Amino acid sequence: MAAAPVRRYDPERRQRIIDAAIRVVGAKGIAGLSHRSVAAEADVPLGSTTYHFKTLDDLLVAALRQANEAYAPALALRGGEDLAGALARLLGELLDADRGRAELEYELYLAALRRPALRPVAAEWCEAVVAALSDHTDPVTARALVAVMDGISLQVLLTGTPYDEPYARDLLTRVLRPT
Amino acid sequence: MAAAPVRRYDPERRQRIIDAAIRVVGAKGIAGLSHRSVAAEADVPLGSTTYHFKTLDDLLVAALRQANEAYAPALALRGGEDLAGALARLLGELLDADRGRAELEYELYLAALRRPALRPVAAEWCEAVVAALSDHTDPVTARALVAVMDGISLQVLLTGTPYDEPYARDLLTRVLRPT
DNA sequence: CATCGATGCGTACTGTTGTACACATGCCGT
DNA sequence: ACGGCATGTGTACAACAGTACGCATCGATG
């Protein structure tokens, strides 16, 4: 009998490694990310991860980019609602109902602080959100909204304070009024 | 002749280790922080760091707390100036003139995302800034200002966008107007 | 002045990590 | 058809990590 057929020609492998990396970061944080831990999670040999991603930064870039793509559609805005209320509601959904995902995405995003390789991707993320908001307000205000939403999320995630939707709505309303 | 006199009775040792830890994080990031790297930087033996700080989290807590104490006085506000302008100016001083320190302080602050041990200290930091602003505005607005300043700083630090003081001033002005 | 606990020092152990490298395999252009 | 090259696999190695632990030394307490 043949030995266990070693897996060959696996075109999805690269993608599976990225998915595994995201799961690892979600479970153990970036500090727990290593070529070996992703390899185990993706069920591929060690050499495979080092082949597709020479450095961990490469892997983080791919993971952050993928997380971005999943985040932007979450900002889908309903038509009738007022903008501040809609954003406050979406923020609440992310921070209350999907805390794990919020932590994961912010951890990848914030990693750009010390990893220059991630900075362009973080900038892309920023731009994508601004673009999603540009249908509803001017570009300067859109950037401001991003800053404010980041700030609110940070306070919640870093200090453990519960998310206060009316407060967020009030703050966003203030930002939306032109000078 | 006597052997090199082994250093004994060094009451400042603990403090020197904290200072060394801050320098290490500033130079190599939290990822480069280890009992060994601080020991080398502080010029103390390995056993000394593990004695004073059982875990690296303990060390990070001390470092973050110390960074906080250095940050709050930097928020000293001049009397005559309008609040938004003063904060925008201070933000500029931190982000333009002292980028390294800004990165260091935010890295320690953001580390609370994945390290529950740091969360109370991050909350203290938040409260300290709110308290410093409370002489000039109401508590709710003070919290909002902290969120906005964090958000602005993040955009600058994470994406590499240059700091735009007039933009920050405008945004802070919007937040300061009561609803 | 004897003793005990806090502090300091050195070293050894065990696990984990990034990296390199030699070899296997199968697609694709010629 | 066939050979080069991208892809996949397994293993080994050197560096470095946290941790533990035995011993040295000092200050204070009685």
Side-chain angles (χ1 to χ4, degrees), chain A residues 71 74-75 86-107 110 125 146-169 172, chain B residues 113 119 143 147:
Chain A
Y71 183 89
L75 267 188
L87 292 175
R89 180 180 51 80
L90 288 169
L91 225 40
E93 283 174 15
L94 182 65
L95 293 174
D96 283 334
D98 220 346
R99 175 65 70 113
R101 191 176 135 216
E103 286 183 1
L104 165 65
E105 284 167 358
Y106 268 98
E107 184 168 13
L110 299 179
W125 179 85
V146 175
V148 170
M149 290 191 296
D150 277 354
I152 293 174
S153 301
L154 270 195
Q155 276 191 11
V156 171
L157 293 173
L158 294 186
T159 68
T161 315
Y163 175 65
D164 182 345
E165 183 167 326
Y167 158 75
R169 188 174 185 282
L172 290 166
Chain B
L113 180 63
R119 291 225 253 267
R143 276 189 66 83

Side-chain angles (χ1 to χ4, degrees), chain B residues 112-134:
Chain B
L113 180 63
R114 277 294 183 181
R115 299 173 201 252
L118 289 185
R119 291 225 253 267
V121 194
E124 280 173 31
W125 180 85
C126 224
E127 283 312 308
V129 180
V130 167
L133 295 175
S134 283

Side-chain angles (χ1 to χ4, degrees), chain A residues 16-37:
Chain A
R16 289 220 321 280
I17 292 175
I18 297 174
D19 294 339
I22 289 178
R23 286 196 300 274
V24 169
V25 174
K28 303 192 293 177
I30 289 183
L33 186 74
S34 71
H35 282 124
R36 285 176 166 83
S37 57

Side-chain angles (χ1 to χ4, degrees), chain B residues 142-172:
Chain B
R143 276 189 66 83
L145 289 175
V146 175
V148 169
M149 291 191 295
D150 277 354
I152 293 173
S153 301
L154 270 194
Q155 275 190 10
V156 171
L157 292 172
L158 294 186
T159 68
T161 314
Y163 175 64
D164 183 346
E165 183 167 325
Y167 158 75
R169 188 174 185 284
D170 174 51
L171 177 45
L172 289 166

Side-chain angles (χ1 to χ4, degrees), chain A residues 52-113:
Chain A
H52 286 284
F53 303 94
K54 278 302 174 194
T55 73
L56 285 182
D57 272 10
D58 291 341
L59 187 49
L60 283 174
V61 166
L64 176 55
R65 185 163 277 130
Q66 181 155 320
N68 290 355
E69 286 162 12
Y71 183 89
L75 267 188
L77 292 168
R78 300 180 190 159
E81 218 167 353
D82 76 304
L83 188 51
L87 292 175
R89 180 180 51 80
L90 288 169
L91 225 40
E93 283 174 15
L94 182 65
L95 293 174
D96 283 334
D98 220 346
R99 175 65 70 113
R101 191 176 135 216
E103 286 183 1
L104 165 65
E105 284 167 358
Y106 268 98
E107 184 168 13
L108 287 171
Y109 180 50
L110 299 179
L113 180 63

